[in-house]
Every structure is written in C-alpha cells, then in structure tokens.
Amino acid sequence: MPGENLSRDEARERGRLLSVDAYDVALDVRSAVAPGPDAATFRSRTTIRFRCAEPGASTFADLLAPQVTAVTLNGRELDPSAVFDGTRIMLDGLAAENTLTVDAQCAYSRTGEGLHRFVDPEDGEVYLYTQYEPADARRVFANFEQPDLKAPFTFEVTAPEGWVVLSNGAQEGSAEGGRHRFATTQPIATYITAVVAGPYHYVSDSYRRAFQDGTELEIPLGALCRKGLAKHFDADDVFTVTKQGLDFFHDHFDFPYPFGKYDTAFVPEYNLGAMENPGCVTFREEFIFRGKVTEASFERRANVILHEMAHMWFGDLVTMQWWDDLWLKESYADFMGSFALVEATRFRDGWITFANRRKAWAYRADQLPSTHPVTADIRDLEDAKLNFDGITYAKGASVLKQLVAYVGQDAFLEGARRYFKRHAYGNTRLADLLAVLEETSGRDLAAWSHAWLETAGVNSLTPQATYDANGRITELSILQEAAPEQPELRPHRVAVGLYRSRTAFSGGGAPALVRYARAEVDVTGPRTAVPELAGLERPELILVNDEDLTYCKVRFDEGSLATLRARLGELTDPMARALCWAALWGLTRDGLMPARDYLDLVRRFGGQETDIGVLQSLHGQVQTALEHYAAPDRRESAAHEQAEGALHELRLAEPGSGHQLSWARHFAAIGTTPAALQLLKGLLDGTAKIDGLEVDQELRWTFLEPLAAHGLADEAAIAAELARDDTASGKRYQVRCLAARPSAEVKARAWADVVESDALSNALVEATIAGFAQPGQRELLAPYAPRYFAAIERIWQERSIEIAMSVVRGLFPSWLVERSTLDAADAWLAEHAQAAPALRRLVLEERDDLARALRAQACDETAGPRP
C-alpha cells in the first residue's frame, strides 16, 4: 500500500486550493465477460472541471490504476509516464479554471475495494459493484479523493447488452448498444458514488408522500440481487421497511429525500454490512436469507436498512469535512437507525438489541489501547479505515441517546432540521452541529462535548446502599470510577431501579423480580446521592442505568449480585434482564467474575430468555468464554457441561421456533463429545430427528463444519455437500469446511492460500481464515504463531488494506492463550516501532484481547467450587 495513504495535511492543502465544479465519468465494463486475462481491466475516462484559488499552483489527482493512456490538462497533453506514479497524477501550472481529462485502464477488484468482479459458480454469470469508503473511488476513476471536495457527478457506463446497470442517478433514455447514461447527481463526495452492473434480478416499487404545503414526492424504489438468490428474495419486506423509514425521516427531518430514486442492491462478496451510496445503497447479500433464520436476523436487516437511509441526510446531504468527524454521520446513523426501527417498524424491542449488542461492541472498543474520543484524530486514510469501529458507531450513538434525554427529543430533532437546511450539500465539523443544538436546546454544550465527544474511555457505576434496623434505605449513592489511563469522570443521566420479589408486596403470583421504585439522577463526580429512594424498603436488586439511558459499565453491590446468581431468570422486564446479562458479561471480561460462574448462569437461566437477540448474544459469549476465558484444565469439562445444557434446551424449545434454531446452532458450535458429534451426523444423514427442527441447507453446513474439524467429514463428504449446494454460498462453506479439517497438510495449504498467495477473493480469504482458526486445534496451530509475526509486515505492504486487515486480525494466534504468545506480540511491537501505525494498532488490539483472556483465565483458575 505504499504511496496510497493520503494525509490530512495534504487534504487540507488541496481543499484550500481547489473547488470542484463537475465530474463526467465514462466506464466501459464490457471486458468483464471476456475470458481469462482480458477480464482484468476496464476503460475509465474522467473529465473534472475545477477551480484553483492560486493560479500557477500545483496539486495532484488520485488514481490507482495499472495504466494511464492519456492525460490532458486545459488542452495540454501531458506525458502519462512523467506525471503518473501509480497512485497520483501531478498537475502543475494550474489556471483559475481548469479541465482535466484522464483516460486509464483500471483493474477489476477481487478484494471488495473499487469495482469488484464476481463470477457466480452456479451459472457463470458476472456481477459487478463498487465499494469506495473511505478512498477507493480512485481505483475506478481519477478524482480528488477527499470528502470536502464535493461535486455533481454524471456517470456513463457501457456494459454487455441486457445487463441491469445502476448508478446514483436515474438512467436517462434507452441503453442502446449497452450504453447507459445517468442523471447528474447533487453535489456529493467521491466515496459515495456507485455503479452496480450485471444480470441482476430487479424488482421495482414506488414511494409517495404528500406534504402539508400541497407538494408531493414520488421516489422510484428498486431492489436487486443475483439471479441465483431470486427464489429466496423477500423484496416485499425490504420495500415495507424502506417505506416505513422514508415516512419516519420525512416526519422528523423536514427535508425531502434529495437524491431522486432509491435502489437497494444486495451484492456478493461484500466486505461491509452496507454502504449509503445515495440512490444506490449496497448491502451484503447475506441479508437475503437462504434458510430459516430467527426474528433477530430480520430485525438486524431492518436496522441496517434504516441506518443507511439515515445517512441520506447525515453523511450524504451534509458530509464531514475530514474523517476526524466521521462520527457526524456514523454515530447519528446508528442512533437514528435504532430510533426509526423502534418507532416505525414491527421491531419494537430494538433498544434492547442496541443495549445488548451494539453497546457491547462499543464497550470492547473503548477498553482497547487504541481507544479514542468519538471525535477522533485521523492523520491519514489508514487511520480512517480503522476508525469504522465500535466507538465511532455504537458509543457515539449511545452518547446521542443520552443527549436526547439531556436536551429533550424535540430540541434534538429541531437541531437536526436546522443542521440540514443550513449545511445542505456542504461539509461540517463538530462545532457546526453543536451550534444548532445549543440554539434549539438553550444549553451550553461545550462541557458536555468535552466530556463525551472529546475524551476516551468508559466509566463504571456502582450502587452503594445502607439500611436501618427495619430494612429501609437510609442512603443510596452511585459511585463512579474511571480507568487510570482514561481518568475522565463524566456527567451521566441515569435511572436507578429497585427490584423485589413480586410476592414480597403483592402476596401472590409466580416468582418474579419486578421494579417497585425508580428515580432519575444526574451523576457527577465520584459519588452522587439518590435521595429520592431513601426510606424505601430494602431491594433485592439495585439496577444502575435502568432503561439504558447512559453509556457506562454497570456494576452491582454484593446483595444484587447474589440475587442475580440465584434468580436472574425471574426478572420480568426484558430490558432490565438484558442489561443485567450485559453487566455480568462485562464482569467476566474484566476478570472480576470467574468464567465458570458466567457459564453456570447461562446454563441455568439461558433457557428462560425470551428475547431471541439476547439469547444469541449469550450463545456467542459462552463460546468466547469457553475458548478464551475458561481455565485450561477446566475447559473441556465446561464445554461438555454447556453442550449438555444446550441439548437439553434444544429439546425443550418450541418446535420450529427461533429459539430452537438458536439452540441448535449453539449446540453445533460447542458440542465436541462423541455423542454430540454423532447426533450432528445423524441430523445430517436423517437417522436422527428433533421435533420441529428443519435441517435446511444453511443448517446442514453449520452441522458439517464441526464434523470436519473433528475428522468425521473428509474431503469427499464436503464435496458431496457442495454438490447439493453448488452455489456461491455453498462454495464459501466448502472452503471453510476444508480448512477446518485437523490435518497438518490441510493447515499448511490454507496458510499458503491466504498468506503466500493473493489468488483468493475477499470472501474466500475470510472463509479460509475462519476454517483454519479452529479453537479445538491448538497444538496443530501452534507452529503458525511465529510464522504470523514474521509475515504480517510484508502482508501489510503487499496487499490491499481490506485483505491485510483480515489477515492480521484473523490469523493472530488468539487460539494459543499462553504467556508465550503475549511475549511474542510484545517482541514484535518492540522490534517494529516504525511499522505502519495502522498495523501496529491492529496488533496492539489483538494483544490486548489476549492479555484480557489470560487475566480471565487466572480469575477462573483461582475460583473455588460453585456454591
């Protein structure tokens, strides 16, 4: 990646000099269907009209391409070999008004960056799509690749006849000879331009909206996927959520959707969840479900649809000046996506998912050595790429959720409306947003911004109560703590809930823990009293941050923790229960609760969890605890105990329910005994059955992988399964299962395919890594720890950043939770002080997770027997 890394200082200087008036981009992708090496490149011809504030100055345009055939600046033909170095086109002697035309051969991508080319193994069809954020539009056309140089774009794409071809604007006229020309866009940034082309299955609909002033808005809607997925495509549900979102945002934003049409494209081998290209939003095709999934999967898809839609205003209409303020779009989209999900769709429990899953991502990121403020210091594009993280998304969204409670929903939304009107089609920074929120709320937000947006780290809140001889509260306080390396104590608006047995004050009913008192308080400093709760009867559980108003780590007093150990399943409120589960997992991650205790809680109470999203989180956390946090000498027995519990719940679950499916997947992930594996084999071949459990193709692959990992499914068995499912998805599963087999030869081949070769696509790299890194194969994988540290700097230099990130994260020897692995990571960091900062950050993060695992294991090793 040398020479590709644009710095913030370079962008500022270029932004000071230039204003861009228009782009005309013509792409010829007919070569995509050519055989062999002829399908390697496509023609890209770009004309940029721009102004320069200092005539005579020099600058550069960005382009990553194998070949530039012609460069013309203001009518002067420039020698491509003299001005193009593989990443930049040098431009000297600029005029006040300039026209630059660049004709190039650009490369199709196999990494999901730029213009990705995918050949469907099912039918041989070729599919194309673009993905640019933060800076890969330069792989497709010459440009000024920074978010503040926005301009209108006009795209023309020449493609094989009969293809569906889409871009940001609507197609103009017919596509004679495969030539598609699209309407000129509003001023947008380069990273949200888009092209999708191929024999896609396309479904259309429309959205209509009448406004109070008598005007009407009609938005053409489209939804598309590969032809091979058409039979699974529930486009009606996609359109339903899309229309609900458009209603919600029009109701609250008072700024009509500004980008004409709205296409939703589900594309193959996609690195992200989705991307907010205006008029042409792209999603990973895994959101089209080939088999039975739980309601949590539909909720997740709806949330992503609404997240990307929020970006049409936060990010596309109004764009951050530089990646320092990435949060201005991502935090808002994350918050508004969940807000719209709960208010406008059938997924009314979306805030529980937010509390349980999104915030878990944020809490992890905020405790890493790479933690950063929500508004970050982004020095260059590599920094930007790594800051699409749990802090920028979920912590920022959590902070905004608290801000709504602080300033009021009406003031918050009125601030958004003014923000859009004041900065439409422009660029902003933190101060621009704070200005409108201060106007609408009447509050000075400088101190709030400093505490929540400009400092890093997460605080812990712990209740402390004293009682009189009659068992009534004499004093209840909230203690606030911060980590030594991030000492900021913040203001928190929290609800404190007191819970007791229902029978304790109602005299009957099934055993249940219910809330009998609540108070809201502004927590400031190390200790804050809650006088409203003094005099009340002693609670069995004190829940700080009830209702999830703030962003914090929740701790418990001893009595509350004892109650949860004994009666967690009796909590009737699903949000309170989700918050308690999350807090207990936080204690386990922090080495304050032995992994065996957390596993025991899930074994005893997991079957009572009604929220399917929370249940799936518990299952994932159990797997992490078994693989990384359990004491090594207890890991096998703990896994067997958990698998027995999972099988018990699987048989008890309602036939055909999402809970049954979730327990089946969990059982397959942790069941390693001969009996467990024999049951999986029987479910595959039909000799075993569980009432109501449909073993569809997706579940077949789920059951086959552990069989392969334990040597019970050989290459022939995996090939036979691929013959049943000879699709793109089947190919990924096959590659993963092949790499999972417990053989030194298999591991060597998988390692070579990923580390020594760049022949695999991004999706197959991901599948190979997932199969290679099996937690139950520690001895087999141990030799690869030193090889990892020897290879990663070369990988970082030679591969695209997306693939390099996958390799550095995915092959870190986290399967070897030993002091020797930690020492090897420390040695690499000490010996590679001058390595790319982004690479060092990734290694530091993985090293921190490993150190956390060792602390958790030490806690589990020293714990006595369970009471």
Side-chain angles (χ1 to χ4, degrees):
M1 297 171 283
E4 300 178 19
N5 195 15
L6 178 72
S7 73
R8 178 175 52 200
D9 290 342
E10 290 174 316
R12 281 176 178 168
E13 176 60 15
R14 188 165 62 177
R16 184 186 68 81
L17 280 176
L18 304 186
S19 301
V20 186
D21 296 315
Y23 283 87
D24 284 282
V25 180
L27 307 177
D28 187 340
V29 297
R30 289 174 293 183
S31 60
V33 297
D38 292 336
T41 62
F42 59 94
R43 186 183 181 191
S44 170
R45 190 175 189 274
T46 305
T47 297
I48 314 173
R49 290 180 289 281
F50 64 99
R51 287 166 284 135
C52 179
E54 296 178 5
S58 299
T59 191
F60 59 91
D62 300 297
L63 180 66
L64 302 178
Q67 182 184 12
V68 171
T69 55
V71 179
T72 303
L73 176 63
N74 299 330
R76 292 185 291 121
E77 292 187 4
L78 308 181
D79 179 3
S81 65
V83 299
F84 178 59
D85 65 0
T87 63
R88 297 178 176 184
I89 301 169
M90 299 308 301
L91 306 172
D92 296 325
L94 296 177
E97 297 185 357
N98 302 273
T99 300
L100 171 68
T101 299
V102 178
D103 206 331
Q105 289 293 315
C106 294
Y108 293 111
S109 170
R110 292 275 284 150
T111 66
E113 303 152 293
L115 181 59
H116 188 81
R117 177 179 181 269
F118 172 78
V119 181
D120 193 334
E122 188 173 1
D123 54 19
E125 296 279 20
V126 175
Y127 294 89
L128 306 177
Y129 65 86
T130 57
Q131 171 56 37
Y132 298 148
E133 192 174 38
D136 284 318
R138 55 194 171 148
R139 296 181 185 274
V140 178
F141 59 91
N143 60 57
F144 301 116
E145 189 85 281
Q146 56 191 77
D148 59 331
L149 290 178
K150 299 171 76 171
F153 284 81
T154 304
F155 280 93
E156 179 181 292
V157 180
T158 304
E161 292 196 53
W163 272 20
V164 173
V165 182
L166 303 173
S167 186
N168 302 93
Q171 182 171 307
E172 295 183 328
S174 62
E176 293 185 10
R179 184 182 175 193
H180 304 254
R181 189 168 179 83
F182 299 93
T184 301
T185 70
Q186 297 284 3
I188 58 176
T190 54
Y191 75 90
I192 51 175
T193 59
V195 169
V196 175
Y200 284 93
H201 170 73
Y202 186 88
V203 185
S204 60
D205 201 341
S206 65
Y207 168 85
R208 292 176 175 83
R209 172 89 178 192
F211 296 100
Q212 290 183 347
D213 62 3
T215 60
E216 294 187 356
L217 175 68
E218 181 173 356
I219 303 173
L221 305 179
L224 60 153
C225 66
R226 287 187 297 113
K227 290 192 298 185
L229 287 174
K231 62 185 176 184
H232 305 293
F233 193 21
D234 53 339
D236 287 347
D237 191 53
V238 171
F239 286 138
T240 294
V241 174
T242 300
K243 293 174 184 179
Q244 290 169 334
L246 288 169
D247 274 339
F248 177 86
F249 291 122
H250 281 119
D251 286 344
H252 289 89
F253 285 171
D254 192 31
F255 198 112
Y257 172 72
F259 299 111
K261 68 180 179 69
Y262 200 100
D263 284 320
T264 301
F266 295 87
V267 298
E269 297 191 322
Y270 202 54
N271 289 322
L272 313 178
M275 183 65 206
E276 67 266 20
N277 316 306
C280 190
V281 186
T282 41
F283 292 78
R284 64 186 301 118
E285 69 177 17
E286 285 78 6
F287 282 125
I288 297 173
F289 307 120
R290 300 195 317 146
K292 182 179 175 62
V293 296
T294 69
E295 191 67 4
S297 295
F298 289 101
E299 180 187 314
R300 166 65 175 152
R301 182 176 70 183
N303 183 269
V304 175
I305 289 172
L306 296 169
H307 175 114
E308 302 310 320
M309 188 178 292
H311 274 311
M312 301 300 118
W313 290 266
F314 286 106
D316 295 0
L317 176 67
V318 184
T319 309
M320 67 277 162
Q321 189 83 18
W322 175 248
W323 301 102
D324 292 345
D325 283 307
L326 174 63
W327 80 278
L328 281 174
K329 72 183 189 79
E330 294 302 348
S331 297
Y332 265 88
D334 220 45
F335 169 74
M336 293 304 302
S338 293
F339 187 18
L341 184 77
V342 172
E343 297 292 324
T345 76
R346 66 186 186 271
F347 303 106
R348 301 299 187 183
D349 291 332
W351 287 125
I352 296 177
T353 305
F354 181 84
N356 188 256
R357 296 185 71 90
R358 299 300 283 179
K359 292 180 81 169
W361 181 30
Y363 294 143
R364 175 190 176 270
D366 215 5
Q367 296 174 82
L368 290 169
S370 58
T371 186
H372 56 84
V374 173
T375 178
D377 178 25
I378 304 298
R379 298 161 295 184
D380 53 37
L381 291 177
E382 288 190 1
D383 277 359
K385 185 72 173 178
L386 268 62
N387 260 44
F388 289 82
D389 60 11
I391 296 172
T392 302
Y393 283 71
K395 180 181 180 179
S398 303
V399 168
L400 292 175
K401 187 170 184 278
Q402 186 189 54
L403 180 62
V404 172
Y406 180 56
V407 305
Q409 182 175 302
D410 291 343
F412 178 83
L413 291 172
E414 177 59 25
R417 291 188 281 270
R418 294 188 190 184
Y419 181 71
F420 300 142
K421 290 181 173 67
R422 193 169 298 175
H423 301 289
Y425 308 111
N427 295 87
T428 57
R429 304 192 67 180
L430 168 63
D432 300 306
L433 180 67
L434 292 181
V436 294
L437 289 173
E438 288 181 339
E439 289 173 15
T440 58
S441 69
R443 293 177 180 266
D444 182 352
L445 295 178
W448 176 88
S449 173
H450 171 78
W452 283 107
L453 301 178
E454 300 167 50
T455 60
V458 56
N459 302 135
S460 299
L461 300 183
T462 307
Q464 185 180 76
T466 57
Y467 305 95
D468 64 19
N470 297 317
R472 293 187 176 272
I473 298 172
T474 55
E475 182 181 15
L476 196 156
S477 300
I478 306 301
L479 308 183
Q480 181 178 190
E481 295 179 293
E485 60 273 15
Q486 304 291 345
E488 182 80 16
L489 296 181
R490 298 178 178 82
H492 297 264
R493 182 70 177 176
V494 301
V496 181
L498 304 185
Y499 290 78
R500 293 188 68 188
S501 300
R502 177 163 53 197
T503 54
F505 53 87
S506 67
L513 283 170
V514 296
R515 189 171 70 188
Y516 68 94
R518 173 191 182 276
E520 279 195 30
V521 63
D522 290 316
V523 172
T524 57
R527 186 185 189 92
T528 301
V530 190
E532 297 91 333
L533 299 178
L536 296 179
E537 292 187 15
R538 183 178 190 134
E540 294 172 70
L541 168 67
I542 304 172
L543 180 57
V544 176
N545 198 30
D546 204 355
E547 302 174 19
D548 197 40
L549 298 184
T550 193
Y551 172 84
C552 70
K553 291 201 286 188
V554 173
R555 302 303 197 203
F556 300 107
D557 65 303
E558 289 186 8
S560 296
L561 189 55
T563 297
L564 292 174
R565 289 180 188 275
R567 301 170 54 205
L568 174 57
E570 294 179 22
L571 265 173
T572 57
D573 181 76
M575 172 64 88
R577 201 168 55 244
L579 292 170
C580 289
W581 277 121
L584 292 166
W585 177 241
L587 291 171
T588 307
R589 288 190 75 248
D590 289 347
L592 301 176
M593 172 182 279
R596 67 172 71 185
D597 288 5
Y598 182 79
L599 293 170
D600 181 60
L601 286 165
V602 177
R603 185 181 58 80
R604 290 189 292 124
F605 301 123
Q608 299 174 47
E609 181 52 59
T610 59
D611 187 285
I612 188 62
V614 173
L615 179 63
Q616 290 176 201
S617 292
L618 297 181
H619 289 164
Q621 289 158 4
V622 164
Q623 291 164 37
T624 298
L626 290 172
E627 294 167 13
H628 300 292
Y629 299 162
D633 62 344
R634 296 170 180 160
R635 186 182 294 129
E636 185 176 351
S637 61
H640 294 171
E641 188 175 61
Q642 290 298 310
E644 288 175 4
L647 180 58
H648 175 72
E649 297 297 344
L650 170 58
R651 296 191 186 280
L652 284 179
E654 180 184 347
S657 67
H659 281 64
Q660 184 188 54
L661 178 61
S662 185
W663 282 110
R665 291 184 175 278
H666 182 50
F667 174 71
I670 64 174
T672 60
T673 64
L677 295 169
Q678 188 60 39
L679 176 58
L680 293 179
K681 190 173 185 299
L683 290 169
L684 270 178
D685 63 25
T687 59
K689 290 190 178 298
I690 293 175
D691 185 28
L693 183 66
E694 179 188 352
V695 184
D696 59 26
Q697 188 57 63
E698 290 289 298
L699 201 53
R700 289 185 64 84
W701 285 114
T702 300
F703 291 168
L704 186 62
E705 183 180 343
L707 294 175
H710 288 84
L712 299 177
D714 59 14
E715 187 170 0
I718 297 168
E721 197 63 37
L722 180 64
R724 292 174 58 105
D725 184 27
D726 194 9
T727 64
S729 298
K731 179 62 178 177
R732 291 194 295 272
Y733 284 125
Q734 178 222 17
V735 167
R736 178 168 175 155
C737 287
L738 287 173
R741 292 171 296 157
S743 155
E745 181 183 356
V746 164
K747 298 305 177 185
R749 186 182 311 127
W751 178 271
D753 286 345
V754 170
V755 175
E756 308 302 335
S757 168
D758 63 357
L760 294 180
S761 70
N762 55 325
L764 296 185
V765 166
E766 179 183 329
T768 304
I769 289 173
F772 175 88
Q774 294 290 318
Q777 299 173 350
R778 293 171 180 84
E779 292 184 6
L780 198 60
L781 298 175
Y784 290 94
R787 294 178 64 177
Y788 167 88
F789 290 109
I792 54 175
E793 192 164 30
R794 172 180 60 81
I795 291 291
W796 194 262
Q797 293 168 349
E798 295 177 356
R799 306 292 181 85
S800 73
I801 191 168
E802 194 69 48
I803 297 296
M805 287 167 58
S806 295
V807 173
V808 173
R809 283 175 170 151
L811 291 181
F812 184 90
S814 57
W815 57 79
L816 208 60
V817 185
E818 296 178 359
R819 181 71 211 188
S820 61
T821 313
L822 195 68
D823 291 342
D826 288 339
W828 186 91
L829 288 164
E831 294 164 7
H832 295 80
Q834 303 306 312
L839 171 59
R840 285 181 53 83
R841 170 177 168 168
L842 291 176
V843 176
L844 274 168
E845 290 177 348
E846 296 298 327
R847 185 257 182 220
D848 190 74
D849 279 344
L850 180 66
R852 179 179 292 275
L854 287 168
R855 292 194 297 271
Q857 286 189 4
C859 175
D860 200 43
E861 286 172 347
T862 57
R866 288 195 303 265

